[in-house]
C-alpha cells in the first residue's frame, strides 16, 4: 500500500476554466512574485523580486510528484488532462524550471505541460528558451498603458509593459520558427487579459492590446474579469457588456475566437458548469477514484483547498472522487479546524485555513 503523506507542492487536479482537469505544481512554495496584482487571490505577498532561485528545488518537487503518481496508479485513477506549473507566485522565478519540466515529462509521459506566467521574466532570452520546453504557455498581460500597468499589477520597479510585450513577441517568433521544423515542438500560446473596472478597461488599452494581438497572433485570447473581489477592495469586475466588447475586438484582431476563460488562481464561477462536466465525465466513462485510501484523499483535498476555494462537487469532479467520500473528509477536516467554509452564490465553498 502507498503511504499517504501531505502534499506541499502538488495540488489537485483542479478543474481549470482554461485547461480542463489540471494537476497543479507550485514552484514557489510561498508568496514570492515579481508582481503584486490588485486581483491576486493568493494572499499577502511576502517577497517582491526578480531574482531567480531554486525556491522549490526540482528534486524535492519531483519526489513529491513521483509519490502522487504512485498513489494515482495504485488507485487506477485517470491521468490529468494537463500538468500546470504555477503556484503561489511567478513560476519562472524558479531557476529549476527546465529540470522540473523534464521531470514531469519523465514521470507523466504524454501529459502536456502548461506554464501559467505573468510574462515578466520573458524579457530574458534564457527564460524564453526554458519556456519553449512547455506544450502550452499562458502569459498574462493586463495593460500596455504604463499608468494602468502600475495600478493593476503593482510590479517590481524593474518592469515595464512594453518590454514584457516585446518578450512575449520574441518568444512567439522563435516558437513559430521552430514550428516550421516538423521535428520540433511548437508551444501553443494562450494570452490572458484580466480586466479590472475603471483601472485597465480604457479604450486606449483596448487599442494598444488589439494592435499587440494583431502582431502576436496567439493561439487563443482569454479576456476575463474578477469572479469575486480581489485582494484590494478597489478591484471590481467589469460588466458583461464590456467583457463581450473586448472579446469581440481582440478576436477580430488576432483572427481567432477570444475565449470566455477564467484565471486559474480564481474561483470557478457558479454557472452550473460542474453539473454539465459531471455528465460529460460519466459519458466519457472516467473512473471514479473510489479506491483511493481515505488518507490519500485527505492529503489531496488539503493541498487543493490551500490553493483554491472549491465546493464539494467541484472537488469530487476534479479529484475523480466519490461525492460521499469527499463529504466525509470535508466534515472531518472542518471538525478538526483545518478548513473553513463560507457561502457564495448559495453554495458552500471550502478553503484551507492558514496555520
Ligand atoms: S496574480 Fe499572479 S502575477 Fe499577480 S501577484 Fe498573484 S501570483 Fe503574482
Amino acid at each position: 500500500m502507498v503511504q499517504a503523506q501531505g502534499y506541499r507542492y502538488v495540488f489537485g487536479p483542479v478543474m481549470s476554466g482554461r485547461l480542463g482537469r489540471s494537476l497543479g505544481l507550485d514552484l514557489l512554495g510561498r508568496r514570492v512574485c515579481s508582481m503584486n496584482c490588485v486581483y491576486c487571490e493568493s494572499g499577502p505577498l511576502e517577497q517582491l523580486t526578480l531574482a531567480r532561485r531554486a525556491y522549490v528545488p526540482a528534486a524535492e518537487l519531483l519526489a513529491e510528484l513521483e509519490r502522487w503518481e504512485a498513489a494515482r496508479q495504485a488507485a487506477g485513477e485517470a491521468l490529468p488532462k494537463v500538468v500546470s506549473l504555477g503556484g503561489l507566485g511567478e513560476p519562472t522565478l524558479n531557476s529549476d524550471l527546465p529540470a522540473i519540466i523534464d521531470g514531469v515529462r519523465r514521470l507523466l509521459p504524454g501529459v502536456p505541460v502548461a506554464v501559467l506566467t505573468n510574462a515578466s521574466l520573458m524579457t530574458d532570452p534564457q527564460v524564453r528558451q526554458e519556456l519553449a520546453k512547455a506544450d502550452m504557455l499562458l502569459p498574462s498581460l493586463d495593460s500596455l498603458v504604463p499608468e494602468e500597468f502600475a495600478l493593476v499589477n503593482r510590479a517590481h520597479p524593474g518592469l515595464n509593459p512594453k518590454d514584457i510585450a516585446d518578450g512575449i513577441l520574441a518568444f512567439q517568433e522563435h516558437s513559430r520558427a521552430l514550428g516550421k521544423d516538423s521535428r520540433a515542438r511548437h508551444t501553443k500560446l494562450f494570452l490572458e487579459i484580466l480586466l479590472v473596472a475603471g483601472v485597465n478597461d480604457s479604450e486606449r488599452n483596448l487599442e494598444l492590446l488589439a494592435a499587440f494581438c494583431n502582431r502576436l497572433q496567439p493561439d487563443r485570447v482569454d479576456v476575463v474579469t474578477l469572479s469575486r473581489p480581489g485582494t484590494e477592495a478597489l478591484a471590481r469586475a467589469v460588466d458583461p457588456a464590456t467583457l463581450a466588447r473586448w472579446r469581440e475586438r481582440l478576436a477580430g484582431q488576432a483572427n481567432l475566437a477570444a475565449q470566455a476563460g477564467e484565471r486559474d488562481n480564481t474561483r470557478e464561477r457558479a454557472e452550473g458548469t460542474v453539473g454539465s462536466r459531471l455528465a460529460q465525465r460519466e459519458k466519457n466513462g472516467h473512473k471514479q477514484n473510489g479506491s483511493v485510501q481515505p488518507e490519500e484523499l485527505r492529503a489531496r483535498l488539503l493541498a487543493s483547498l490551500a490553493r483554491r476555494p472549491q465546493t464539494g462537487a467541484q472537488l469530487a469532479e476534479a479529484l475523480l472522487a466519490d461525492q460521499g467520500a469527499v463529504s466525509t473528509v470535508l466534515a472531518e477536516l472542518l471538525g478538526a479546524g483545518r478548513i473553513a467554509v463560507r457561502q457564495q452564490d448559495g453554495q458552500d465553498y471550502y478553503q484551507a485555513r492558514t496555520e
Side-chain angles (χ1 to χ4, degrees):
M1 186 184 99
V2 179
Q3 183 66 38
Q5 301 166 32
Y7 291 102
R8 291 180 65 190
Y9 312 119
V10 179
F11 61 97
V14 293
M15 290 309 301
S16 155
R18 292 183 292 165
L19 296 171
R21 187 169 172 265
S22 155
L23 182 68
L25 301 185
D26 179 357
L27 272 60
L28 282 308
R30 61 193 176 90
R31 286 287 290 124
V32 181
C33 198
S34 51
M35 295 183 178
N36 185 18
C37 306
V38 286
Y39 52 75
C40 187
E41 294 184 352
S42 296
L45 192 67
E46 286 175 41
Q47 191 183 353
L48 184 70
T49 184
L50 293 177
R52 298 193 81 201
R53 283 203 283 118
Y55 292 95
V56 177
E60 211 176 307
L61 189 148
L62 294 171
E64 200 176 274
L65 182 61
E66 195 166 2
R67 177 158 58 82
W68 183 92
E69 172 59 3
R72 183 197 71 80
Q73 287 188 12
E77 176 193 316
L79 280 163
K81 194 175 166 217
V82 63
V83 174
S84 55
L85 277 48
L88 294 170
E90 170 51 37
T92 59
L93 285 172
N94 191 324
S95 51
D96 275 358
L97 177 70
I100 291 170
I101 295 177
D102 289 344
V104 173
R105 292 204 186 287
R106 180 171 48 78
L107 292 169
L108 300 178
V111 180
V113 177
V115 181
L116 312 171
T117 175
N118 64 21
S120 56
L121 272 68
M122 289 179 74
T123 51
D124 179 349
Q126 169 68 28
V127 172
R128 295 200 295 268
Q129 198 181 328
E130 294 173 12
L131 288 172
K133 283 173 164 283
D135 298 286
M136 286 173 268
L137 184 66
L138 292 86
S140 56
L141 185 61
D142 299 327
S143 182
L144 281 169
V145 179
E147 301 77 25
E148 295 181 6
F149 174 80
L151 280 174
V152 74
N153 298 118
R154 301 186 299 189
H156 187 280
L159 295 172
N160 74 71
K162 181 175 182 314
D163 289 350
I164 294 173
D166 287 347
I168 301 173
L169 284 167
F171 177 88
Q172 181 76 322
E173 251 169 51
H174 180 70
S175 180
R176 286 253 154 85
L178 272 182
K180 288 191 183 127
D181 176 349
S182 55
R183 291 160 303 174
R185 182 179 36 243
H186 162 60
T187 305
K188 285 207 171 353
L189 196 145
F190 302 154
L191 182 72
E192 185 190 81
I193 298 158
L194 189 144
L195 297 179
V196 180
V199 179
N200 64 332
D201 57 349
S202 67
E203 285 307 307
R204 188 169 163 223
N205 191 28
L206 178 56
E207 290 315 309
L208 289 172
L209 282 171
F212 174 67
C213 286
N214 193 22
R215 284 182 69 194
L216 184 67
Q217 294 290 307
D219 294 278
R220 206 173 81 193
V221 180
D222 294 318
V223 186
V224 300
T225 191
L226 289 88
S227 53
R228 65 176 182 138
T231 321
E232 305 297 330
L234 70 89
R236 287 182 297 107
V238 295
D239 58 67
T242 303
L243 206 53
R245 194 164 58 81
W246 274 66
R247 282 177 181 155
E248 196 180 331
R249 176 83 172 89
L250 296 179
Q253 283 304 313
N255 196 25
L256 44 73
Q259 305 282 320
E262 178 140 346
R263 176 150 266 174
D264 282 84
N265 62 351
T266 59
R267 175 177 301 172
E268 293 280 323
R269 287 193 187 96
E271 290 175 329
T273 51
V274 168
S276 61
R277 283 196 300 246
L278 280 169
Q280 185 65 36
R281 187 182 80 198
E282 270 153 30
K283 213 166 104 194
N284 294 343
H286 283 161
K287 182 173 177 181
Q288 282 203 330
N289 204 3
S291 54
V292 160
Q293 300 294 323
E295 300 79 21
E296 176 68 19
L297 182 58
R298 186 175 186 275
R300 291 184 180 195
L301 279 175
L302 272 174
S304 190
L305 292 175
R307 304 313 193 290
R308 175 190 289 199
Q310 290 159 85
T311 66
Q314 286 170 339
L315 286 161
E317 182 195 16
L319 298 172
L320 299 183
D322 176 73
Q323 175 89 53
V326 168
S327 300
T328 304
V329 177
L330 286 173
E332 180 225 312
L333 292 171
L334 266 176
R338 302 289 305 275
I339 60 172
V341 62
R342 64 175 166 166
Q343 283 252 319
Q344 184 179 312
D345 306 323
Q347 297 192 74
D348 285 339
Y349 279 86
Y350 299 89
Q351 186 164 24
R353 280 186 191 277
T354 43
E355 310 269 318

